[in-house]
Amino acid sequence: MGFIDKIKERAKSDIKTIVLPESMDRRTFEAAEVVLKEGIANLIILGTEEVIAENSKGLDISGAQIINPYTYKKTLDYIDVFYELRKAKGLTPQQAKDTLMNDYMYYACMMVKFGDADGVVSGACHSTASTLKPSLQIIKSRPGTKLVSGFFVVVVPDCDMGADGTFVFADAGLNQNPNSEELAAITESSAKSFQMLVGEKPICALLSHSTKGSAKHPDVTKVVDAVEILKRDYPHITADGELQLDAAIVPEIAKSKAPGSKVAGNANVLIFPDLDAGNIGYKLVQRLGKAEAYGPLTQGMAKPINDLSRGCSSSDIVGVIAITAVQAQNRHIM
């Protein structure tokens, strides 16, 4: 049984309710039909009856709860609480109403805030910023979390590296240029995410264009300093760096480039030095290696709010919904 099949089975064991705010996108309904048919999650789809009818033609979404924000009984409560949350930032009651009625991602986050849903999946036709800004304003980070970050679960076919071809790539979706402390925090969160979702021991490689001093540059020093912070603040995490990608995942190369490292050649959690590297890296593996790539998923949020690549397929959305449901089951360790 592959990674996503295992996740689906876990999702079915304790059904959660996930909100889908992108009723303007056909892929939302294609995914919803599969999720409902397989019993992966309960679904709430936001939108007017006309838009939903138009975009779901020929698909069976009868098991979903359709909520029209313009007529739903709790809309005024959501607006009032959103205003209270943001009035110190200058938000007026009218702006609160306009925001929720014109941006369903905000509305979806308020449903989660109220406990009317367990998580949100969006981003098929919206940017990462449009997806994550509302969640950071409304849901906020989990207590004790130093940094909310983004990651992908990447499953490479016919691969004996990582955890039978399964990896976590981070941060590949949110933080542009993390410093050493932030890289350490991303590593700590990513180790938890890997353990929770994959169920195997996380082995974390902090990546660079250099391996163990082969190059000198402030970008390399940043990674080396992050490893020292991990050793000091998170000694229970198996992590090492700086490592080039081949030294991190190929045992034969690890022996020559990083002899004695417990991580080199065995890594299944790949921590990229910046967002450019992480985003380019996951897309290279996805497109050239024919890998499954689920995300960008968020870690460190109080409740699961997950993004999608705008290039995603409906099957990608199904996978992210299942992952979101499992995160909701394990919210205390997200």
Side-chain angles (χ1 to χ4, degrees):
M1 186 181 290
F3 165 76
I4 203 62
D5 293 319
K6 293 177 182 177
I7 289 291
K8 288 179 180 180
E9 289 305 310
R10 289 170 64 186
K12 294 175 189 177
S13 70
D14 179 14
I15 297 294
K16 298 299 180 183
T17 299
I18 308 302
V19 186
L20 306 178
E22 292 180 311
S23 57
M24 68 293 293
D25 194 296
R26 175 75 173 180
R27 290 169 295 176
T28 295
F29 299 99
E30 293 170 345
E33 182 179 54
V34 174
V35 169
L36 294 168
K37 181 179 180 180
E38 296 186 12
I40 294 168
N42 295 326
L43 296 179
I44 296 171
I45 304 176
L46 301 180
T48 64
E49 289 77 5
E50 294 78 14
V51 168
I52 289 174
E54 175 65 27
N55 291 321
S56 65
K57 281 182 179 177
L59 299 171
D60 181 6
I61 59 161
S62 56
Q65 181 181 4
I66 305 302
I67 288 182
N68 182 345
Y70 290 94
T71 59
Y72 188 54
K73 61 185 178 182
K74 285 193 173 182
T75 293
L76 292 179
D77 293 333
Y78 295 157
I79 292 170
D80 289 344
V81 172
F82 180 55
Y83 166 66
E84 291 297 324
L85 286 172
R86 302 297 297 171
K87 66 181 181 181
K89 300 292 184 180
L91 190 75
T92 67
Q94 184 61 46
Q95 288 171 333
K97 178 181 179 180
D98 292 343
T99 299
L100 262 63
M101 303 311 290
N102 294 321
D103 189 335
Y104 288 169
M105 186 60 199
Y106 277 93
Y107 196 97
C109 287
M110 287 306 303
M111 296 197 75
V112 173
K113 180 77 172 178
F114 268 66
D116 296 328
D118 300 300
V120 182
V121 173
S122 184
C125 54
H126 290 90
S127 68
T128 293
S130 297
T131 299
L132 295 183
K133 182 180 177 182
S135 60
L136 290 169
Q137 290 181 355
I138 295 169
I139 306 300
K140 304 184 185 300
S141 61
R142 181 169 55 84
T145 297
K146 293 185 177 180
L147 182 73
V148 174
S149 55
F151 70 99
F152 279 81
V153 177
V154 178
V155 184
V156 185
D158 302 317
C159 177
D160 59 1
M161 292 175 280
D164 294 324
T166 301
F167 298 85
V168 158
F169 285 27
D171 186 331
L174 185 54
N175 294 286
Q176 181 68 49
N177 189 19
N179 59 33
S180 299
E181 291 79 9
E182 291 168 336
L183 277 178
I186 290 167
T187 305
E188 191 258 349
S189 292
S190 300
K192 287 182 178 179
S193 293
F194 185 89
Q195 178 72 54
M196 178 182 66
L197 294 172
V198 182
E200 296 192 20
K201 178 183 177 180
I203 303 172
C204 309
L206 282 79
L207 301 179
S208 173
H209 69 278
S210 170
T211 295
K212 297 297 183 179
S214 65
K216 304 295 182 183
H217 190 275
D219 288 347
V220 177
T221 302
K222 176 180 79 169
V223 177
V224 173
D225 290 345
V227 173
E228 292 304 311
I229 293 169
L230 284 164
K231 290 177 180 177
R232 182 191 71 207
D233 296 345
Y234 310 102
H236 60 286
I237 294 176
T238 301
D240 199 9
E242 85 285 13
L243 294 171
Q244 292 166 300
L245 187 278
D246 55 358
I249 64 173
V250 182
E252 295 78 11
I253 295 176
K255 290 176 183 177
S256 62
K257 287 190 173 184
S261 171
K262 295 180 180 179
V263 169
N266 301 300
N268 48 37
V269 176
L270 304 180
I271 306 300
F272 291 83
D274 57 41
L275 186 57
D276 289 337
N279 190 270
I280 292 167
Y282 102 76
K283 287 183 177 177
L284 276 171
V285 176
Q286 179 188 33
R287 300 302 178 183
L288 301 184
K290 308 300 183 183
E292 301 167 30
Y294 301 102
L297 309 167
T298 58
Q299 51 194 5
M301 295 292 297
K303 294 183 180 180
I305 312 293
N306 284 322
D307 193 14
L308 296 160
S309 169
R310 280 171 285 175
C312 68
S313 65
S314 60
S315 63
D316 293 333
I317 300 175
V318 172
V320 172
I321 291 171
I323 290 170
T324 306
V326 171
Q327 286 181 315
Q329 293 171 353
N330 297 272
R331 187 161 56 87
H332 61 290
I333 57 173
M334 278 175 50

